[in-house]
Amino acid sequence: MSSSSLVYPTSITQLFVLNGNRFIAPVKLYQHRSKCQINRRGFAMRGIVAAGVSAGDSSLAIKPVQGVERLPFRPEGYNFWTWRGHRIHYVEQGDGFPIVLIHGFGASAFHWRYNIPELAKKYKVYALDLLGFGWSEKAIIEYDAMVWRDQVVDFLKEVVKEKAILVGNSLGGFTALASAAELPEQVSGIVLLNSAGRFRDPNADNTYNSEETALQKLIIKPVKDFIQRIVIGSLFLQAKKPARIVSVLKSVYVNTSNVDDYLVESITQPASDPNAKEVYYRLMTQLNVNLQKYTLDAVLSKLSCPILLLWGDLDPWTGADKAVRIREYYSNSSLVNLQAGHCPHDEVPELVNTALLDWLSSLNLQPSYQTL
């Protein structure tokens, strides 16, 4: 999910391009055949921090969605894989053609709690925690969007070992696109749920200059880093409060009945890691860099596989217009509009599961059972 949802902005509102709310029929499918800034402070304050948050009591309801099976919550996690020396958590269920679920900023594999059991009835489902999030290691590294791309690519090669469908929400959506562009031979399709990322602005200077002058290195950068640590550290203390987590979730869920103890605990539990604050700082200070370096059109131009857009049109961060623009840019795409917020897979899981399963069945997927 991502209450804080992508890691790119000069301002996170730019990344998600806030659009007016638009009501569309819950599951109306459109086929398309033509080619195809959120403020950093606001991001941090509203964000469900990637580094995790401190646990706390909650009076929220814990009843699951009626009629939809829910993944059991395991405080110890499910499965672990070692990637580049780091411990990575993932869930694996079912048999059949592989589906890989990728969460958004600040969330974890448990955010797919209502999707994994249903999809696993027909497919082999994986849901992994990106490095720095959830039950995966809070590694002290320089975080770049391509770190998660590389993680997913290696997960496909080393764990999945055959062609798969990538499904991503928010940051996970952009990660799915970047991973497919890097390893197209192992990705049969992509599903984006309110994906993060922005299109290149043709009227702006999109070049990224990483070179620093002597003045910048010796004086400006150290002072800037010192101030950033103070400010971001303060924001971290606010963003990690359980009450703040609940408030943010309710701001992006149109129907807040699924903002429950399970969801809050899946976000708060990783907070015990002593590296949480440092990971948060490193993620936040890379926002501008990532926004300048990586764009949606850059990765979409490298793809040819089918893409399904499952879009919560009432999302206050990534509105319906963004889905339309992706559909117009990328010819091999379909769009399902949902009356939901930023995390439709958890807010209206029954609709997302139905639309996703229908789309998957139309692809006539056959598992290869071979190591690629």
Side-chain angles (χ1 to χ4, degrees):
M1 139 193 159
S2 166
S3 302
S4 21
S5 288
L6 194 199
V7 288
Y8 296 107
T10 34
S11 82
I12 287 191
T13 29
Q14 283 180 328
L15 172 64
F16 292 127
V17 191
L18 302 182
N19 295 298
N21 291 341
R22 186 175 63 157
F23 288 81
I24 309 241
V27 272
K28 190 172 182 180
L29 180 65
Y30 295 89
Q31 297 286 345
H32 183 71
R33 288 285 176 256
S34 66
K35 174 65 181 174
C36 17
Q37 296 177 350
I38 62 201
N39 179 292
R40 182 182 297 187
R41 182 178 184 276
F43 174 92
M45 289 294 290
R46 298 180 307 188
I48 295 183
V49 295
V53 295
S54 59
D57 294 333
S58 170
S59 59
L60 297 173
I62 58 175
K63 293 182 180 179
V65 175
Q66 249 185 342
V68 182
E69 188 177 348
R70 185 173 71 177
L71 178 75
F73 182 77
R74 291 185 185 175
E76 73 278 12
Y78 277 77
N79 307 291
F80 290 88
W81 162 62
T82 300
W83 177 68
R84 298 183 181 179
H86 303 300
R87 197 165 185 249
I88 302 298
H89 173 251
Y90 69 97
V91 177
E92 177 182 344
Q93 286 194 358
D95 292 296
F97 195 91
I99 311 296
V100 179
L101 308 176
I102 310 169
H103 64 79
F105 194 106
S108 70
F110 288 110
H111 204 210
W112 302 100
R113 54 185 172 163
Y114 290 117
N115 314 109
I116 294 171
E118 292 300 314
L119 295 175
K121 292 175 182 177
K122 293 186 177 181
Y123 299 94
K124 186 171 188 120
V125 181
Y126 299 90
L128 78 162
D129 288 351
L130 298 175
L131 187 68
F133 297 89
W135 276 247
S136 286
E137 184 177 335
K138 306 302 176 292
I140 303 301
I141 65 169
E142 295 305 316
Y143 283 90
D144 178 274
M146 297 304 103
V147 168
W148 299 307
R149 176 204 66 184
D150 293 346
Q151 179 190 340
V152 172
V153 164
D154 287 345
F155 186 82
L156 290 171
K157 291 178 179 179
E158 298 176 19
V159 180
V160 180
K161 298 181 179 179
E162 58 181 307
K163 290 186 176 182
I165 297 290
L166 300 183
V167 181
N169 169 234
S170 192
L171 166 64
F174 188 86
T175 300
L177 291 172
S179 302
E182 183 70 11
L183 192 68
E185 66 273 17
Q186 204 168 333
V187 178
S188 297
I190 303 168
V191 181
L192 302 178
L193 298 99
N194 294 65
S195 179
R198 66 157 193 168
F199 280 91
R200 177 181 177 275
D201 183 353
N203 299 316
D205 180 5
N206 290 277
T207 59
Y208 170 70
N209 182 11
S210 60
E211 294 183 2
E212 294 180 313
T213 66
L215 178 63
Q216 289 174 321
K217 288 181 180 179
L218 297 175
I219 300 177
I220 297 177
K221 189 175 186 300
V223 172
K224 178 183 175 183
D225 290 346
F226 176 75
I227 295 174
Q228 281 184 327
R229 281 197 174 273
I230 294 175
V231 173
I232 293 176
S234 176
L235 294 176
F236 175 80
L237 294 176
Q238 294 298 317
K240 74 177 186 176
K241 294 179 179 178
R244 186 60 179 166
I245 299 293
V246 173
S247 176
V248 172
L249 287 168
K250 288 186 174 182
S251 75
V252 294
Y253 278 58
V254 177
N255 179 350
T256 61
S257 61
N258 283 358
V259 179
D260 55 16
D261 284 335
Y262 180 121
L263 180 58
V264 174
E265 187 175 358
S266 75
I267 296 166
T268 60
Q269 183 167 321
S272 59
D273 194 293
N275 290 343
K277 185 176 180 180
E278 179 63 22
V279 170
Y280 182 72
Y281 170 77
R282 291 177 179 233
L283 288 167
M284 294 305 300
T285 53
Q286 284 297 307
L287 293 178
N288 286 335
V289 174
N290 280 306
L291 179 65
Q292 294 178 60
K293 289 171 67 175
Y294 311 115
T295 61
L296 284 171
D297 39 319
V299 290
L300 287 169
S301 64
K302 299 177 182 178
L303 300 173
S304 60
C305 65
I307 293 179
L308 172 65
L309 303 167
L310 293 177
W311 218 265
D313 285 350
L314 309 183
D315 182 355
W317 298 342
T318 56
D321 289 349
K322 184 175 182 179
V324 172
R325 186 170 182 188
I326 293 174
R327 184 168 59 90
E328 290 174 346
Y329 182 89
Y330 191 80
S331 62
N332 193 10
S333 63
S334 304
L335 172 61
V336 174
N337 297 102
L338 301 165
Q339 292 187 15
H342 189 61
C343 311
H345 59 294
D346 193 59
E347 184 181 340
V348 288
E350 64 284 2
L351 297 181
V352 168
N353 291 340
T354 297
L356 179 51
L357 288 168
D358 286 348
W359 182 77
L360 290 171
S361 65
S362 73
L363 300 180
N364 193 29
L365 302 168
Q366 298 295 329
S368 63
Y369 300 110
Q370 296 177 7
T371 300
L372 294 178

